[in-house]
Amino acid sequence: MRKSIRSKRQGRERMHMDDEQARWSESAENATREALDEFAALPAADFLALKNIDGRFATLSIGNWLAKQARIVDRSTGEEMAFANTDDLIRAGWVID
């Protein structure tokens, strides 16, 4: 069974619970695919901002974005995370902020 819940921290984006794993709304996931795969975003800085379903935030450099490399950096820890593609990034709970 699929339940919808709201999160105050993630800007009131709608999330879904699929058995074990929380997910962003389909529209948030699609907007992320569009922004990253089709260059449909307009960055306000030298990076794109991302948020995770678990409350973390990260950045994707313009260089990595233009090279279509899903390599992001956690804003709090500085940890770099690399994903094979946008779908893997989304499955890990990341979307455009």
Side-chain angles (χ1 to χ4, degrees):
M1 189 163 118
R2 196 171 167 148
K3 299 179 196 172
S4 292
I5 60 173
R6 290 209 179 260
S7 170
K8 292 177 187 171
R9 187 165 188 184
Q10 280 82 23
R12 302 272 188 218
E13 285 284 345
R14 193 177 286 256
M15 295 183 289
H16 301 286
M17 294 296 279
D18 290 326
D19 296 325
E20 306 152 15
Q21 185 178 352
R23 291 186 46 203
W24 291 105
S25 68
E26 190 174 326
S27 64
E29 291 179 0
N30 289 338
T32 300
R33 276 188 200 87
E34 232 177 81
L36 299 184
D37 294 343
E38 300 171 22
F39 301 109
L42 184 59
D46 60 347
F47 60 85
L48 293 173
L50 298 159
K51 59 187 173 184
N52 193 284
I53 197 80
D54 66 11
R56 292 179 293 157
F57 295 90
T59 58
L60 172 68
S61 73
I62 297 300
N64 282 336
W65 180 48
L66 293 174
K68 292 198 172 232
Q69 295 178 346
R71 182 174 289 152
I72 64 175
V73 177
D74 186 292
R75 287 187 192 171
S76 294
T77 66
E79 176 189 0
E80 187 173 285
M81 296 163 272
F83 301 92
N85 54 45
T86 301
D87 286 331
D88 283 352
L89 181 131
I90 291 169
R91 273 193 287 281
W94 295 99
V95 295
I96 288 290
D97 188 6

